[in-house]
Amino acid sequence: MKYRKWIVFALVAIGAIVSQFFVQQRYTSLLQVGSEYQWPVSISRRASWIPSDYLHVTFLGAQGPWMGERAPVEQQEAYVVVVPKPSGLLTVKEVTPHRPDSGEYILARITRYENGIAEFQIPFDRVKVDLSKVNPQFYKGYKGTLLATLKVKDGHGVVTGVYSKGVSIEIAKPGSIEEQERDSRIPLEELGNGDGKITPPVEE
């Protein structure tokens, strides 16, 4: 009986280590072979248990028409079918309970459904940064729209960076409140409508 607790503890510890190993393997694989896109986001700093070199990412406009035969329920797993604009910015085409046979898609969970529109949460919602270099204004009430770069493959993904006007938030400046509010008034569907690809600069 006294050894049972230690056995359970050991199994839990091994499970945590193995799980972390597979998460790291997937992260590395996505960085190498995932297709790169962009998505409008906001960022915030969450609970203290999250490592200090991560920021939470909220994907803006995370909703789309539901294409299932039945209405979805909260936390139901679903596939978000996405289409990139010429700029590389992703747009949501539809949300479906069925895995698409072709095209790009993201595995997500339903958070709300009303009038044929499904809102969803994308699970890879953190970005690794050097917080000592990030201006806190970016994650404390920032009103402007930021762009995240992400790599996606087979429904899974990873956020690789967050940019303000093409500059990494680790070296960017937030700008004035007036500039942020003006930026926030641009409709999400109009972002990235130019012919040129919104490619963040390569940092030296």
Side-chain angles (χ1 to χ4, degrees):
M1 182 69 179
K2 67 178 181 178
Y3 295 111
R4 183 176 299 176
K5 292 182 179 180
W6 289 107
I7 294 174
V8 171
F9 175 79
L11 291 174
V12 171
I14 292 172
I17 293 172
V18 172
S19 175
Q20 185 61 37
F21 172 78
F22 282 110
V23 168
Q24 185 61 41
Q25 286 290 98
R26 176 183 291 174
Y27 178 88
T28 302
S29 176
L30 285 167
L31 289 179
Q32 294 174 346
V33 302
S35 299
E36 187 172 63
Y37 302 107
Q38 289 140 27
W39 195 302
V41 300
S42 62
I43 55 176
S44 59
R45 195 171 182 185
R46 289 293 180 89
S48 58
W49 60 267
I50 296 178
S52 60
D53 55 348
Y54 283 90
L55 288 173
H56 179 80
V57 174
T58 298
F59 292 87
L60 305 180
Q63 62 179 28
W66 175 252
M67 304 304 291
E69 295 80 9
R70 300 179 180 178
V73 296
E74 188 174 338
Q75 293 303 307
Q76 176 179 331
E77 195 172 75
Y79 297 91
V80 179
V81 181
V82 291
V83 178
K85 296 181 179 182
S87 61
L89 206 67
L90 288 177
T91 58
V92 178
K93 179 182 179 182
E94 63 187 37
V95 186
T96 173
H98 309 295
R99 180 173 180 172
D101 294 326
S102 60
E104 201 71 88
Y105 62 90
I106 296 173
L107 194 58
R109 289 195 178 276
I110 302 299
T111 57
R112 188 169 180 266
Y113 175 75
E114 185 176 359
N115 298 326
I117 300 297
E119 297 180 9
F120 55 85
Q121 179 180 12
I122 295 176
F124 50 95
D125 56 0
R126 294 192 299 165
V127 60
K128 189 173 183 178
V129 295
D130 184 345
L131 272 182
S132 67
K133 297 180 180 179
V134 178
N135 190 312
Q137 291 183 37
F138 278 119
Y139 53 85
K140 291 183 178 180
Y142 184 74
K143 299 180 182 298
T145 300
L146 303 170
L147 284 182
T149 52
L150 51 151
K151 292 212 170 178
V152 177
K153 184 174 178 59
D154 298 331
H156 302 286
V158 60
V159 179
T160 57
V162 176
Y163 296 80
S164 172
K165 303 184 187 329
V167 180
S168 169
I169 59 166
E170 292 178 303
I171 57 176
K173 296 181 179 180
S176 67
I177 297 297
E178 291 76 15
E179 290 174 325
Q180 294 177 34
E181 291 179 342
R182 186 166 56 248
D183 185 32
S184 68
R185 287 195 291 269
I186 301 175
L188 294 179
E189 59 269 18
E190 293 184 11
L191 292 175
N193 283 343
D195 293 331
K197 182 177 176 61
I198 307 174
T199 305
V202 177
E203 298 176 28
E204 298 181 356

